[in-house]
Amino acid sequence: MTIDYTWWKDASIYQIWPASYKDSNGDGIGDIPGIISELDYIKDLGVDIIWLSPMYKSPMEDMGYDISDYEDINPDFGTLQDMQDLIDGCHTRGLKIICDLVVNHTSSEHEWFKESRSSLDSPKRDWYIWKKPKYDAEGNRQPPNNWMSYFSGSAWEYDETTGEYYLRLFAKGQPDLNWENEECRKAIYDSALKFWLDRGVDGFRIDVAGFYSKDQSFGDAPIFFKDQIYQPSKSLTSNGPRIHEFHKEMTREVISKYDVMTVGEMCHWNKEEALKYVGASRKEMNMMFIFDLVELGCENSDRFLYSHWNLLDFKNAVQNQSDFIKGSDAWSTVFIENHDQPRCVTRFGNDKKHHAASAKLLAMLQTTLTGTLFIYQGQEIGMTNLPKSWSIEEYKDVYTTNYYKEFVKKYENEPDFEDKKSKLMDVINLVARDHSRSPVQWSAARYGGFSTVEPWTQVNDNYPEINVKLQQHNPDSVLRFYQQSLKLRKQYKDLFIYGSFEILDYDNEKVFTYVKESGSDVLPKAYVVLNFSGDKVEFTPLIKGDFKLVSSNVMESEFEQSSLSPFEGRIYIVE
Ligand code: NOJ
């Protein structure tokens, strides 16, 4: 088998969410100079590319995913010159940098939208999606259809100026662009893509990449939640009729003219549809994020409707993400955290009794899977979810706060409201987006060394025990383990990055064992065994061969050949 090595396939990518990375000017908000000051730390970690979440000008209703000027920087984060310094600072160190491409919608503060909303015959009226109201039997004004916003309530917003509704699949201030309009598409290409590619960025993470083409009938979505008016619109707004035409055009007209990479966020997928986006010969995007693993237990259209999962579901999800490209020319991604997900050590490990062991176990899983690897800021030190004792007031994310408000409106008069509320809080405490958005814990200094003043959102209480500085000085820390694991991934890249993946103990509810092979007879196999339980379990190799241990997350003195301690993991090379 010949392997098609490519820089973006080999790469480990480190995601930075600017508001919470590092504050350099003492205003309590992370900024670009703060990121620049940590570039050597990032390089030392052993990653190759930085993915910077939106740093553009924005009123921050959705923390920068509501962009009011693609060609400028949020003043809280810095200036255009700072951004150029960041791009150059990465390149000098041999790092690349990709930006977020958020072009399904803009902010309602964007000049394009201000112009569009100003009158029915504005030249940019058609750049957004405007519809006339509907009226019910009593003559009350209603949205044009029953589509639900991802952030609760209707996906339509009434605008007094012209007496019409605009579509906004996300927050109120995030109007959807009308990709049907060619002039609008060209403006997007120039402003959101070319502007940055010409300044040296090395590619994009494409926000909600499957949403640009909407079903033009704008009919009602099928009823999914029987007790709700508004319904998930995915069958009419995701993977729509012209979506591939749009991606092909964007690649042909802009992206293909630069040596850059793209990774799309894919919210609703099946294998056949996915391959249309990321099949190499399709010339759309290089790879995509699939959410089966991080969304385990969550209802696809409402993450706060949460039920339990077991290790078999977990294995299934890992397998799906890796297998969908089998037999094709497509490429996949590996990730377990990002700015929209909780912390993996809380969600999939044990962040109290076995914090270090389970954070390292997840590092072993991530660094041995096939595809381009993404690590989220703080994951490398095992940052955890926010404390359970924190009240809803500490949660800042529009997704969580809107959901909570709607919930209170709906249930506050019911006799079991308190019980329902405490159950919801348990789920929020497990899966809210806020958990990954608390400031990075740099040291045991006040505010975790993130800032010299009270940060825009609270630092997790556990910063004195979990922080970068402490872990830099500890050879057995999670941070050091990530550094070693990233090296090992590169050392055996034919097995880990490019190799095949086969689960050996599918029915085992405690242990996850798999083999990675390069497909070549000459090279050895990798054998990965991960105890995902808090129990001590027996260990007997499931294949024959000469086993050489190359990675372990327990101290040598605690290592027992024939058993695995709680959350123990091992990586062997088998000849
Ligand atoms: C996906 C982004 O990851 C998320 O943070 C954002 O809220 C939505 N897209 C809307 O842009």
Side-chain angles (χ1 to χ4, degrees):
M1 191 183 80
T2 47
I3 296 178
D4 172 23
Y5 298 111
T6 314
W7 62 266
W8 44 262
K9 291 185 177 173
D10 273 20
S12 304
I13 303 186
Y14 184 69
Q15 184 190 353
I16 293 184
W17 200 73
S20 292
Y21 200 63
K22 183 139 200 197
D23 173 21
S24 75
N25 61 352
D27 64 357
I29 305 170
D31 48 45
I32 295 171
I35 301 170
I36 295 174
S37 72
E38 294 299 344
L39 282 178
D40 290 332
Y41 165 77
I42 296 166
K43 178 76 186 168
D44 274 0
L45 180 59
V47 296
D48 312 283
I49 301 178
I50 289 175
W51 153 24
L52 184 64
S53 280
M55 72 302 170
Y56 312 95
K57 201 164 174 205
S58 158
M60 302 295 270
E61 186 180 358
D62 185 20
M63 292 309 293
Y65 283 89
D66 47 330
I67 298 170
S68 54
D69 188 347
Y70 291 109
E71 300 175 26
D72 207 351
I73 302 295
N74 177 347
D76 286 335
F77 295 162
T79 61
L80 273 173
Q81 186 56 51
D82 291 331
M83 186 59 197
Q84 193 61 57
D85 292 345
L86 175 60
I87 297 170
D88 298 343
C90 286
H91 291 163
T92 321
R93 288 167 178 81
L95 292 165
K96 291 184 188 279
I97 177 165
I98 64 170
C99 286
D100 235 285
L101 179 66
V102 188
V103 290
N104 173 67
H105 43 265
T106 64
S107 158
S108 52
E109 300 291 306
H110 196 292
E111 288 305 320
W112 297 346
F113 187 73
K114 288 189 189 164
E115 166 70 55
S116 180
R117 86 179 335 170
S118 66
S119 75
L120 287 174
D121 51 14
S122 148
K124 293 200 172 50
R125 184 67 174 178
D126 190 43
W127 285 30
Y128 292 85
I129 301 169
W130 292 97
K131 295 284 166 219
K132 290 194 179 22
K134 259 190 181 168
Y135 289 90
D136 63 19
E138 285 81 46
N140 300 314
R141 192 190 69 229
Q142 298 294 346
N145 65 29
N146 69 351
W147 296 358
M148 179 171 85
S149 158
Y150 284 89
F151 295 155
S152 304
S154 168
W156 296 91
E157 203 58 38
Y158 185 65
D159 193 45
E160 298 282 350
T161 326
T162 53
E164 289 192 342
Y165 284 85
Y166 64 84
L167 179 69
R168 47 97 176 175
L169 290 177
F170 293 91
K172 241 184 186 163
Q174 286 172 301
D176 282 53
L177 284 157
N178 182 15
W179 275 69
E180 300 289 323
N181 182 304
E182 193 179 343
E183 211 190 346
C184 172
R185 295 202 303 277
K186 294 276 164 347
I188 293 171
Y189 301 158
D190 285 344
S191 190
L193 287 104
K194 278 192 200 143
F195 182 88
W196 288 106
L197 291 169
D198 290 339
R199 276 163 181 73
V201 310
D202 301 289
F204 293 106
R205 172 267 188 187
I206 308 180
D207 191 59
V208 291
F211 283 12
Y212 309 159
S213 167
K214 276 87 179 172
D215 183 306
Q216 293 298 297
S217 67
F218 290 93
D220 276 344
I223 308 291
F224 184 78
F225 295 115
K226 292 207 170 60
D227 61 337
Q228 283 178 201
I229 308 175
Y230 303 114
Q231 302 294 331
S233 68
K234 60 183 175 197
S235 58
L236 299 164
T237 54
S238 191
N239 309 321
R242 295 183 69 190
I243 191 69
H244 297 292
E245 180 192 330
F246 294 156
H247 276 289
K248 281 194 183 349
E249 180 183 88
M250 183 159 74
T251 303
R252 189 180 62 240
E253 298 297 318
V254 192
I255 295 167
S256 63
K257 306 206 163 119
Y258 302 79
D259 179 21
V260 295
M261 61 157 281
T262 51
V263 50
E265 181 196 30
M266 201 49 53
C267 304
H268 312 289
W269 75 291
N270 59 47
K271 180 176 164 156
E272 197 193 339
E273 197 56 54
L275 291 177
K276 290 189 195 156
Y277 288 99
V278 293
S281 57
R282 305 262 314 162
K283 300 202 181 338
E284 296 193 18
M285 41 201 199
N286 298 135
M287 58 189 127
M288 66 199 227
F289 295 126
I290 288 169
F291 294 91
D292 289 26
L293 182 62
V294 290
E295 286 180 351
L296 264 189
C298 297
E299 167 58 58
N300 186 251
S301 299
D302 180 349
R303 81 161 62 178
F304 296 115
L305 289 181
Y306 179 83
S307 54
H308 290 281
W309 54 271
N310 59 30
L311 192 62
L312 272 51
D313 304 321
F314 187 94
K315 291 178 188 177
N316 231 329
V318 173
Q319 177 137 40
N320 273 350
Q321 283 188 213
S322 127
D323 278 5
F324 89 93
I325 60 164
K326 249 190 184 165
S328 78
D329 61 357
W331 187 242
S332 59
T333 59
V334 182
F335 74 103
I336 197 160
E337 266 187 30
N338 68 29
H339 65 294
D340 290 335
Q341 301 300 331
R343 293 294 183 175
C344 64
V345 65
T346 307
R347 179 103 151 87
F348 302 115
N350 180 329
D351 67 358
K352 301 271 174 325
K353 211 167 155 203
H354 303 290
H355 174 264
S358 59
K360 290 177 188 174
L361 185 89
L362 290 161
M364 287 170 138
L365 170 77
Q366 292 292 286
T367 52
T368 53
L369 294 177
T370 311
T372 299
L373 173 64
F374 292 76
I375 295 171
Y376 180 69
Q377 64 183 37
Q379 182 182 335
E380 76 275 19
I381 57 166
M383 277 180 65
T384 67
N385 273 10
L386 304 175
K388 281 210 160 135
S389 55
W390 285 15
S391 71
I392 190 70
E393 280 69 43
E394 301 299 343
Y395 289 77
K396 304 274 190 302
D397 174 28
V398 61
Y399 187 177
T400 315
T401 54
N402 279 5
Y403 192 94
Y404 188 82
K405 277 186 222 144
E406 287 275 316
F407 167 87
V408 171
K409 231 187 346 185
K410 196 163 164 193
Y411 297 112
E412 64 188 334
N413 295 321
E414 297 200 356
D416 60 347
F417 175 59
E418 285 305 322
D419 184 41
K420 278 204 169 91
K421 194 169 82 178
S422 112
K423 286 197 178 116
L424 174 63
M425 275 316 291
D426 285 348
V427 178
I428 288 180
N429 198 262
L430 189 65
V431 294
R433 307 199 299 182
D434 306 71
H435 297 297
S436 54
R437 299 178 175 197
S438 68
V440 169
Q441 298 164 202
W442 291 102
S443 72
R446 195 151 184 225
Y447 308 124
F450 163 76
S451 176
T452 49
V453 300
E454 178 147 9
W456 70 275
T457 191
Q458 274 206 67
V459 183
N460 196 316
D461 297 346
N462 59 20
Y463 72 83
E465 300 90 52
I466 301 174
N467 66 62
V468 170
K469 201 164 170 197
L470 208 61
Q471 297 201 12
Q472 275 173 327
H473 292 114
N474 174 2
D476 294 321
S477 66
V478 177
L479 176 61
R480 292 293 193 90
F481 194 81
Y482 260 100
Q483 286 172 325
Q484 291 153 16
S485 304
L486 287 166
K487 267 200 199 119
L488 196 70
R489 179 171 175 80
K490 288 277 167 67
Q491 188 184 338
Y492 293 100
K493 72 176 181 180
D494 288 354
L495 300 178
F496 296 139
I497 305 180
Y498 293 94
S500 63
F501 167 78
E502 193 197 344
I503 299 179
L504 297 186
D505 57 357
Y506 199 78
D507 294 328
N508 191 324
E509 291 182 19
K510 293 185 174 173
V511 181
F512 189 0
T513 311
Y514 51 88
V515 165
K516 300 292 308 280
E517 279 182 89
S518 72
S520 136
D521 294 339
V522 191
L523 287 163
K525 295 175 185 183
Y527 185 95
V528 184
V529 53
L530 309 169
N531 178 7
F532 268 87
S533 80
D535 302 326
K536 185 171 173 173
V537 295
E538 257 183 45
F539 171 68
T540 337
L542 300 174
I543 58 169
K544 291 205 165 51
D546 196 6
F547 278 58
K548 183 174 106 194
L549 187 69
V550 290
S551 176
S552 153
N553 64 347
V554 300
M555 304 272 204
E556 242 179 276
S557 56
E558 285 163 18
F559 188 89
E560 283 179 36
Q561 186 58 42
S562 56
S563 63
L564 299 169
S565 57
F567 293 98
E568 178 174 345
R570 296 178 190 176
I571 303 173
Y572 292 99
I573 295 298
V574 185
E575 306 262 9

